[in-house]
Amino acid sequence: MVLDGDTCYRAAQSRDPRFDGRFFTAVKTTGIYCRPICPARTPLRKNVRFFACAAAAEEAGFRPCRRCRPDAAPGTPAWIGPSAIVSRAVRLIERGALDEASVDELAGRVGVGGRQLRRLFAEHLGTSPLLVGRSRRAHFARSLLDATTWPMTQVAQEAGFRSLRRFNEVMLAVFQRTPSELRRRGGADGPAITLRLAYRPPYDWPALIAFLGARAIPGLEVVDASAYRRTVESGRIEVRPDEGNALALTLTPFRRERGEVLEIVGRIRRMFDLDADPLQIAAALAGDPLLGPSVRARPGLRVPGAWDPFETCVRAILGQQVSVRAATTFAGRLVEAFGVPSPAPVEGLTRVFPKPELLASAALEKIGLTRSRAESIRCVARSAQVLRERPESLEGLVDRLRTLPGVGPWTAHYLAMRAFGEVDAFPSGDLVLRKAAREQLPASLEQRSTAWRPWRAYAAMHLWSSCSLPLEPSHDRAVAI
């Protein structure tokens, strides 16, 4: 990513929060790198360098500022950058692809050789895949040191380090301080921990929480204007707005597996679309005469994600030919009948969504489903591996999803949007989208949507939000549940 130094310097002088996460400022005289919003006095122009991501600054020998905490900044645009290969590789690294595998294995997953992947990372991010992975683990470990009183061994394991020795080496290399020196007093000493998840403003929390609230499954989720709560296998989670352009994630685990907290954080970031760059998206869509009014009125509109692809697929099938409310009722019955009890139950949160193995042979007809719909869910449960290992392209993902029973083009794109975070997915067969765009045929809407690439998922959200009609059955007879 090429950064214009003078432009970045003016942005750093302004301390405008809209530039947060877009670049990092490294001060040559102190050896420290900062966010653009750092409250410290702005250094002279001749004394600073600019980097597209934290890992690049660290590779150049700079350490993170202790005041503005670069590890708390939202992901940089370079990480969604101009190269699709780099974008997908970084997304896989964020999901732990380098925790147990090599760079060459990662390169194979995105369809290039290891040498080419390293070259692309150097070109677009100014660093290597290994250092991006190292930075990810180190900054997450730093957040755990602040939020918990866990032993260092547990912090290292949760952050994806294979050994305590490697953990100490990386933390010293990145922060130039040992983990013990980094730890603050006052971390949570108990079963619950709270982590701050930063985003780039603006952020339309009311719109996103309303979307999730209309689809909340009884017994599994509780949603109100102030928070989203749900059960997970290890306990329960709560997400609520926090100060300083961030959401607060509270986890109350009953039991904990190695690396589970890092996985939960990744899921929540995707579910609440915290890595989006709303200004970049708005700049791409605001000039369109159809989308422009909505984009200007709701610049912080996000694409609501989903906790789990299998759960989302089941919910989509339950939504075929029925309203959102009816589909949610069916989902509540399914969770009540086949979900396992929550390990940390509270009022309204008593069950965990059933695993595929439980639904593969379940008598789903007893909750009121038709035989064909019940069989579709059983078939999806038996083929759940399709939802775990996705091809690294939107087209490949849609083709694979369409092999599942009950999943047509609309549902495949809808799942790609919500369950897999594909920002260019677009269910052109949706009846409401066609009405909002005044297009009669899916093919004509598909053609028109090419002008909105690569942000067609956000275009869909703006079209849905601008239409007062409730969501209706789509071309493949599923509603947005």
Side-chain angles (χ1 to χ4, degrees):
M1 182 181 180
V2 179
L3 296 175
D4 179 80
D6 292 335
T7 301
C8 290
Y9 188 71
R10 288 194 296 271
Q13 285 180 308
S14 72
R15 294 186 176 83
D16 190 327
R18 291 178 296 177
F19 294 105
D20 190 21
R22 292 173 174 268
F23 62 88
F24 294 90
T25 304
V27 185
K28 291 182 284 187
T29 54
T30 63
I32 292 172
Y33 73 94
C34 302
R35 298 159 69 177
I37 61 170
C38 185
R41 187 178 65 179
T42 304
L44 298 176
R45 173 67 182 89
K46 65 180 181 179
N47 293 333
V48 296
R49 294 175 60 188
F50 299 100
F51 294 91
C53 67
E58 291 160 11
E59 184 179 14
F62 295 93
R63 66 183 187 275
C65 173
R66 300 180 69 182
R67 294 185 67 181
C68 67
R69 292 290 301 276
D71 55 291
T76 67
W79 287 25
I80 1 177
S83 165
I85 292 175
V86 172
S87 171
R88 294 189 179 281
V90 170
R91 202 175 301 169
L92 288 171
I93 292 173
E94 284 294 301
R95 296 171 185 169
L98 292 181
D99 290 350
E100 303 292 340
S102 67
V103 173
D104 289 339
E105 290 173 307
L106 171 65
R109 293 182 65 179
V110 297
V112 298
R115 183 176 180 180
Q116 183 181 2
L117 185 65
R118 292 180 181 91
R119 180 184 62 78
L120 289 172
F121 265 67
E123 176 183 349
H124 293 296
L125 295 182
T127 187
S128 69
L130 283 177
L131 287 176
V132 170
R134 186 187 79 166
S135 181
R136 161 187 171 267
R137 290 190 293 272
H139 288 301
F140 183 70
R142 173 71 184 272
S143 68
L144 291 180
L145 289 173
D146 287 347
T148 73
T149 57
W150 294 346
M152 293 299 178
T153 302
Q154 185 176 355
V155 172
Q157 290 178 344
E158 288 289 349
F161 290 95
R162 299 182 184 181
S163 69
L164 185 60
R165 178 180 178 181
R166 180 59 179 160
F167 167 64
N168 289 327
E169 290 174 349
V170 169
M171 298 301 284
L172 185 59
V174 172
F175 298 103
Q176 298 186 13
R177 286 175 175 78
T178 67
S180 297
E181 291 172 333
L182 289 170
R183 168 156 269 167
R184 296 177 179 176
R185 296 181 179 179
D189 186 13
I193 63 170
T194 298
L195 301 172
R196 279 172 47 85
L197 309 182
Y199 58 77
R200 281 183 294 272
Y203 190 92
D204 196 339
W205 167 266
L208 189 142
I209 206 68
F211 187 97
L212 296 177
R215 293 153 179 81
I217 299 177
L220 181 77
E221 300 169 295
V222 173
V223 183
D224 56 38
S226 64
Y228 170 87
R229 305 173 184 88
R230 71 163 288 148
T231 63
V232 295
E233 290 184 15
S234 58
R236 63 181 184 270
I237 61 175
E238 177 182 280
V239 182
R240 62 172 61 248
D242 201 5
E243 297 179 354
N245 300 323
L247 300 183
L249 167 63
T250 299
L251 301 87
T252 307
F254 181 79
R255 61 182 186 278
R256 186 182 299 111
E257 302 293 336
R258 176 180 175 179
E260 184 181 21
V261 175
L262 182 56
E263 179 187 354
I264 289 175
V265 168
R267 287 191 183 200
I268 292 299
R269 291 200 68 87
R270 291 189 295 275
M271 187 173 182
F272 287 82
D273 199 12
L274 299 183
D275 293 322
D277 182 350
L279 298 184
Q280 181 182 9
I281 295 166
L285 301 179
D288 186 90
L290 180 63
L291 300 177
S294 178
V295 173
R296 288 186 288 273
R298 311 182 78 172
L301 191 65
R302 306 294 172 109
V303 176
W307 174 254
D308 176 72
F310 172 70
E311 177 185 312
T312 309
C313 189
V314 171
R315 293 167 74 144
I317 294 174
L318 291 173
Q320 292 174 354
Q321 297 180 296
V322 299
S323 67
V324 171
R325 179 175 296 181
T328 301
T329 299
F330 278 126
R333 293 177 186 172
L334 182 143
V335 168
E336 179 63 28
F338 304 104
V340 298
S342 169
V346 294
E347 184 179 358
L349 299 173
T350 57
R351 314 289 285 180
V352 177
F353 198 86
K355 292 184 177 181
E357 307 83 67
L358 292 174
L359 296 183
S361 58
L364 297 168
E365 291 85 353
K366 73 178 187 180
I367 65 172
L369 299 184
T370 63
R371 182 178 301 176
S372 61
R373 191 170 305 178
E375 185 57 29
S376 291
I377 293 176
R378 286 191 288 264
C379 289
V380 166
R382 291 192 287 267
S383 306
Q385 188 64 26
V386 172
L387 297 166
R388 296 192 184 106
E389 297 181 3
R390 55 177 259 194
E392 293 309 313
S393 71
L394 173 60
E395 294 75 16
L397 174 61
V398 169
D399 289 344
R400 177 173 288 192
L401 292 174
R402 290 188 63 183
T403 66
L404 296 170
V407 176
W410 183 94
T411 306
H413 275 270
Y414 183 74
L415 290 173
M417 282 175 58
R418 294 205 57 211
F420 294 94
E422 287 287 349
V423 297
D424 201 35
F426 189 75
S428 56
D430 184 85
L431 180 59
V432 176
L433 290 182
R434 300 203 320 263
K435 286 184 176 180
R438 305 178 192 89
E439 298 287 355
Q440 297 298 318
L441 300 174
S444 59
L445 180 57
E446 180 73 23
Q447 177 62 34
R448 183 169 186 177
S449 73
T450 58
W452 306 329
R453 285 187 154 171
W455 309 113
R456 295 192 301 170
Y458 294 91
M461 292 304 302
H462 279 288
L463 290 174
W464 275 330
S465 68
S466 66
C467 186
S468 59
L469 295 174
L471 294 175
E472 298 181 30
S474 69
H475 186 66
D476 53 313
R477 300 186 302 177
V479 296
I481 171 66

mmCIF file of all heavy atoms in Angstrom, residues 50-79:
data_model
loop_
_atom_site.group_PDB
_atom_site.id
_atom_site.type_symbol
_atom_site.label_atom_id
_atom_site.label_comp_id
_atom_site.label_asym_id
_atom_site.label_seq_id
_atom_site.Cartn_x
_atom_site.Cartn_y
_atom_site.Cartn_z
ATOM 1 N N PHE A 50 5.623 6.607 7.835
ATOM 2 C CA PHE A 50 4.249 6.102 7.886
ATOM 3 C C PHE A 50 4.207 4.669 7.361
ATOM 4 O O PHE A 50 4.895 4.326 6.384
ATOM 5 C CB PHE A 50 3.326 7.008 7.070
ATOM 6 C CG PHE A 50 3.270 8.420 7.588
ATOM 7 C CD1 PHE A 50 4.014 9.432 6.992
ATOM 8 C CD2 PHE A 50 2.496 8.725 8.699
ATOM 9 C CE1 PHE A 50 3.982 10.721 7.480
ATOM 10 C CE2 PHE A 50 2.459 10.019 9.198
ATOM 11 C CZ PHE A 50 3.199 11.015 8.588
ATOM 12 N N PHE A 51 3.384 3.857 8.043
ATOM 13 C CA PHE A 51 3.257 2.441 7.683
ATOM 14 C C PHE A 51 1.786 2.081 7.544
ATOM 15 O O PHE A 51 0.916 2.652 8.218
ATOM 16 C CB PHE A 51 3.901 1.561 8.750
ATOM 17 C CG PHE A 51 5.393 1.731 8.846
ATOM 18 C CD1 PHE A 51 5.934 2.667 9.716
ATOM 19 C CD2 PHE A 51 6.250 0.978 8.057
ATOM 20 C CE1 PHE A 51 7.308 2.844 9.809
ATOM 21 C CE2 PHE A 51 7.622 1.147 8.141
ATOM 22 C CZ PHE A 51 8.152 2.069 9.017
ATOM 23 N N ALA A 52 1.525 1.109 6.668
ATOM 24 C CA ALA A 52 0.143 0.710 6.408
ATOM 25 C C ALA A 52 -0.410 -0.207 7.484
ATOM 26 O O ALA A 52 -1.621 -0.294 7.655
ATOM 27 C CB ALA A 52 0.050 0.009 5.046
ATOM 28 N N CYS A 53 0.438 -0.912 8.214
ATOM 29 C CA CYS A 53 -0.072 -1.799 9.266
ATOM 30 C C CYS A 53 0.954 -1.903 10.379
ATOM 31 O O CYS A 53 2.136 -1.566 10.205
ATOM 32 C CB CYS A 53 -0.419 -3.183 8.715
ATOM 33 S SG CYS A 53 0.986 -4.145 8.139
ATOM 34 N N ALA A 54 0.513 -2.370 11.528
ATOM 35 C CA ALA A 54 1.377 -2.441 12.707
ATOM 36 C C ALA A 54 2.555 -3.368 12.487
ATOM 37 O O ALA A 54 3.684 -3.091 12.922
ATOM 38 C CB ALA A 54 0.550 -2.890 13.915
ATOM 39 N N ALA A 55 2.324 -4.491 11.792
ATOM 40 C CA ALA A 55 3.402 -5.451 11.587
ATOM 41 C C ALA A 55 4.547 -4.847 10.792
ATOM 42 O O ALA A 55 5.722 -5.147 11.049
ATOM 43 C CB ALA A 55 2.857 -6.692 10.872
ATOM 44 N N ALA A 56 4.237 -3.977 9.820
ATOM 45 C CA ALA A 56 5.290 -3.342 9.024
ATOM 46 C C ALA A 56 6.127 -2.399 9.884
ATOM 47 O O ALA A 56 7.361 -2.333 9.738
ATOM 48 C CB ALA A 56 4.676 -2.592 7.848
ATOM 49 N N ALA A 57 5.469 -1.659 10.776
ATOM 50 C CA ALA A 57 6.208 -0.768 11.672
ATOM 51 C C ALA A 57 7.109 -1.565 12.610
ATOM 52 O O ALA A 57 8.252 -1.180 12.881
ATOM 53 C CB ALA A 57 5.233 0.103 12.461
ATOM 54 N N GLU A 58 6.597 -2.687 13.100
ATOM 55 C CA GLU A 58 7.394 -3.526 14.000
ATOM 56 C C GLU A 58 8.581 -4.145 13.276
ATOM 57 O O GLU A 58 9.678 -4.256 13.829
ATOM 58 C CB GLU A 58 6.501 -4.602 14.613
ATOM 59 C CG GLU A 58 5.486 -4.033 15.593
ATOM 60 C CD GLU A 58 4.318 -4.976 15.832
ATOM 61 O OE1 GLU A 58 4.402 -6.140 15.411
ATOM 62 O OE2 GLU A 58 3.310 -4.532 16.416
ATOM 63 N N GLU A 59 8.381 -4.541 12.011
ATOM 64 C CA GLU A 59 9.486 -5.110 11.248
ATOM 65 C C GLU A 59 10.586 -4.084 11.042
ATOM 66 O O GLU A 59 11.779 -4.421 10.979
ATOM 67 C CB GLU A 59 8.993 -5.635 9.900
ATOM 68 C CG GLU A 59 10.088 -6.325 9.096
ATOM 69 C CD GLU A 59 9.590 -6.868 7.783
ATOM 70 O OE1 GLU A 59 8.485 -6.483 7.366
ATOM 71 O OE2 GLU A 59 10.313 -7.658 7.162
ATOM 72 N N ALA A 60 10.212 -2.808 10.934
ATOM 73 C CA ALA A 60 11.195 -1.736 10.748
ATOM 74 C C ALA A 60 11.891 -1.353 12.053
ATOM 75 O O ALA A 60 12.732 -0.453 12.061
ATOM 76 C CB ALA A 60 10.520 -0.512 10.140
ATOM 77 N N GLY A 61 11.515 -2.003 13.165
ATOM 78 C CA GLY A 61 12.206 -1.779 14.427
ATOM 79 C C GLY A 61 11.511 -0.851 15.397
ATOM 80 O O GLY A 61 12.083 -0.511 16.445
ATOM 81 N N PHE A 62 10.277 -0.432 15.108
ATOM 82 C CA PHE A 62 9.546 0.458 16.000
ATOM 83 C C PHE A 62 8.683 -0.347 16.975
ATOM 84 O O PHE A 62 8.198 -1.435 16.635
ATOM 85 C CB PHE A 62 8.670 1.418 15.197
ATOM 86 C CG PHE A 62 9.451 2.376 14.333
ATOM 87 C CD1 PHE A 62 9.730 2.064 13.008
ATOM 88 C CD2 PHE A 62 9.939 3.566 14.852
ATOM 89 C CE1 PHE A 62 10.461 2.932 12.208
ATOM 90 C CE2 PHE A 62 10.675 4.444 14.063
ATOM 91 C CZ PHE A 62 10.936 4.121 12.738
ATOM 92 N N ARG A 63 8.467 0.193 18.155
ATOM 93 C CA ARG A 63 7.629 -0.463 19.153
ATOM 94 C C ARG A 63 6.343 0.336 19.340
ATOM 95 O O ARG A 63 6.328 1.558 19.140
ATOM 96 C CB ARG A 63 8.358 -0.617 20.479
ATOM 97 C CG ARG A 63 8.676 0.681 21.195
ATOM 98 C CD ARG A 63 9.463 0.428 22.477
ATOM 99 N NE ARG A 63 9.650 1.638 23.262
ATOM 100 C CZ ARG A 63 10.618 2.515 23.069
ATOM 101 N NH1 ARG A 63 11.493 2.314 22.096
ATOM 102 N NH2 ARG A 63 10.723 3.587 23.853
ATOM 103 N N PRO A 64 5.245 -0.311 19.751
ATOM 104 C CA PRO A 64 3.958 0.388 19.864
ATOM 105 C C PRO A 64 3.920 1.375 21.025
ATOM 106 O O PRO A 64 4.505 1.141 22.078
ATOM 107 C CB PRO A 64 2.953 -0.751 20.073
ATOM 108 C CG PRO A 64 3.751 -1.891 20.564
ATOM 109 C CD PRO A 64 5.120 -1.756 19.996
ATOM 110 N N CYS A 65 3.203 2.458 20.801
ATOM 111 C CA CYS A 65 3.033 3.500 21.819
ATOM 112 C C CYS A 65 2.200 2.965 22.979
ATOM 113 O O CYS A 65 1.203 2.272 22.781
ATOM 114 C CB CYS A 65 2.348 4.702 21.178
ATOM 115 S SG CYS A 65 1.893 6.011 22.332
ATOM 116 N N ARG A 66 2.570 3.338 24.200
ATOM 117 C CA ARG A 66 1.835 2.875 25.381
ATOM 118 C C ARG A 66 0.641 3.772 25.684
ATOM 119 O O ARG A 66 -0.206 3.413 26.505
ATOM 120 C CB ARG A 66 2.776 2.827 26.582
ATOM 121 C CG ARG A 66 3.961 1.887 26.385
ATOM 122 C CD ARG A 66 4.871 1.854 27.591
ATOM 123 N NE ARG A 66 4.234 1.220 28.731
ATOM 124 C CZ ARG A 66 4.808 1.093 29.928
ATOM 125 N NH1 ARG A 66 6.020 1.585 30.142
ATOM 126 N NH2 ARG A 66 4.169 0.502 30.922
ATOM 127 N N ARG A 67 0.547 4.936 25.036
ATOM 128 C CA ARG A 67 -0.574 5.841 25.301
ATOM 129 C C ARG A 67 -1.760 5.547 24.377
ATOM 130 O O ARG A 67 -2.892 5.409 24.836
ATOM 131 C CB ARG A 67 -0.138 7.295 25.129
ATOM 132 C CG ARG A 67 0.874 7.754 26.151
ATOM 133 C CD ARG A 67 1.167 9.246 25.992
ATOM 134 N NE ARG A 67 0.020 10.083 26.328
ATOM 135 C CZ ARG A 67 0.015 11.405 26.255
ATOM 136 N NH1 ARG A 67 1.110 12.039 25.848
ATOM 137 N NH2 ARG A 67 -1.063 12.095 26.571
ATOM 138 N N CYS A 68 -1.497 5.463 23.071
ATOM 139 C CA CYS A 68 -2.619 5.287 22.133
ATOM 140 C C CYS A 68 -2.891 3.833 21.802
ATOM 141 O O CYS A 68 -3.901 3.524 21.154
ATOM 142 C CB CYS A 68 -2.373 6.081 20.856
ATOM 143 S SG CYS A 68 -0.980 5.481 19.855
ATOM 144 N N ARG A 69 -1.992 2.911 22.214
ATOM 145 C CA ARG A 69 -2.219 1.479 22.050
ATOM 146 C C ARG A 69 -2.563 1.101 20.610
ATOM 147 O O ARG A 69 -3.718 0.846 20.278
ATOM 148 C CB ARG A 69 -3.312 1.015 22.996
ATOM 149 C CG ARG A 69 -2.967 1.052 24.459
ATOM 150 C CD ARG A 69 -1.944 -0.013 24.818
ATOM 151 N NE ARG A 69 -2.460 -1.334 24.488
ATOM 152 C CZ ARG A 69 -3.257 -2.050 25.292
ATOM 153 N NH1 ARG A 69 -3.596 -1.565 26.468
ATOM 154 N NH2 ARG A 69 -3.689 -3.232 24.918
ATOM 155 N N PRO A 70 -1.608 1.050 19.700
ATOM 156 C CA PRO A 70 -1.908 0.651 18.316
ATOM 157 C C PRO A 70 -2.564 -0.714 18.199
ATOM 158 O O PRO A 70 -3.278 -0.983 17.233
ATOM 159 C CB PRO A 70 -0.520 0.655 17.653
ATOM 160 C CG PRO A 70 0.286 1.611 18.459
ATOM 161 C CD PRO A 70 -0.206 1.451 19.867
ATOM 162 N N ASP A 71 -2.339 -1.587 19.190
ATOM 163 C CA ASP A 71 -2.982 -2.902 19.141
ATOM 164 C C ASP A 71 -4.492 -2.804 19.271
ATOM 165 O O ASP A 71 -5.210 -3.750 18.924
ATOM 166 C CB ASP A 71 -2.443 -3.799 20.260
ATOM 167 C CG ASP A 71 -2.588 -3.159 21.631
ATOM 168 O OD1 ASP A 71 -1.884 -2.162 21.890
ATOM 169 O OD2 ASP A 71 -3.404 -3.647 22.427
ATOM 170 N N ALA A 72 -5.000 -1.659 19.764
ATOM 171 C CA ALA A 72 -6.445 -1.482 19.908
ATOM 172 C C ALA A 72 -7.081 -0.853 18.679
ATOM 173 O O ALA A 72 -8.302 -0.697 18.623
ATOM 174 C CB ALA A 72 -6.747 -0.606 21.129
ATOM 175 N N ALA A 73 -6.265 -0.483 17.691
ATOM 176 C CA ALA A 73 -6.803 0.151 16.490
ATOM 177 C C ALA A 73 -7.523 -0.871 15.629
ATOM 178 O O ALA A 73 -7.163 -2.043 15.607
ATOM 179 C CB ALA A 73 -5.674 0.810 15.685
ATOM 180 N N PRO A 74 -8.557 -0.444 14.905
ATOM 181 C CA PRO A 74 -9.217 -1.368 13.982
ATOM 182 C C PRO A 74 -8.290 -1.762 12.848
ATOM 183 O O PRO A 74 -7.289 -1.102 12.597
ATOM 184 C CB PRO A 74 -10.419 -0.566 13.470
ATOM 185 C CG PRO A 74 -10.042 0.852 13.688
ATOM 186 C CD PRO A 74 -9.156 0.883 14.910
ATOM 187 N N GLY A 75 -8.608 -2.845 12.146
ATOM 188 C CA GLY A 75 -7.782 -3.325 11.048
ATOM 189 C C GLY A 75 -7.619 -2.279 9.966
ATOM 190 O O GLY A 75 -8.534 -1.523 9.669
ATOM 191 N N THR A 76 -6.443 -2.219 9.361
ATOM 192 C CA THR A 76 -6.164 -1.196 8.369
ATOM 193 C C THR A 76 -6.755 -1.560 7.019
ATOM 194 O O THR A 76 -6.961 -2.727 6.717
ATOM 195 C CB THR A 76 -4.653 -1.005 8.192
ATOM 196 O OG1 THR A 76 -4.126 -2.201 7.598
ATOM 197 C CG2 THR A 76 -3.971 -0.757 9.514
ATOM 198 N N PRO A 77 -7.030 -0.546 6.166
ATOM 199 C CA PRO A 77 -7.532 -0.842 4.835
ATOM 200 C C PRO A 77 -6.595 -1.723 4.034
ATOM 201 O O PRO A 77 -7.031 -2.446 3.151
ATOM 202 C CB PRO A 77 -7.664 0.539 4.191
ATOM 203 C CG PRO A 77 -7.803 1.486 5.322
ATOM 204 C CD PRO A 77 -6.979 0.905 6.440
ATOM 205 N N ALA A 78 -5.302 -1.682 4.348
ATOM 206 C CA ALA A 78 -4.378 -2.536 3.615
ATOM 207 C C ALA A 78 -4.709 -4.000 3.818
ATOM 208 O O ALA A 78 -4.439 -4.836 2.972
ATOM 209 C CB ALA A 78 -2.942 -2.266 4.079
ATOM 210 N N TRP A 79 -5.312 -4.293 4.935
ATOM 211 C CA TRP A 79 -5.619 -5.692 5.205
ATOM 212 C C TRP A 79 -6.843 -6.151 4.427
ATOM 213 O O TRP A 79 -7.143 -7.332 4.378
ATOM 214 C CB TRP A 79 -5.823 -5.898 6.705
ATOM 215 C CG TRP A 79 -4.551 -5.848 7.465
ATOM 216 C CD1 TRP A 79 -3.393 -5.222 7.130
ATOM 217 C CD2 TRP A 79 -4.300 -6.462 8.710
ATOM 218 N NE1 TRP A 79 -2.447 -5.395 8.080
ATOM 219 C CE2 TRP A 79 -2.975 -6.155 9.077
ATOM 220 C CE3 TRP A 79 -5.071 -7.246 9.576
ATOM 221 C CZ2 TRP A 79 -2.410 -6.608 10.250
ATOM 222 C CZ3 TRP A 79 -4.507 -7.681 10.751
ATOM 223 C CH2 TRP A 79 -3.186 -7.356 11.071
#
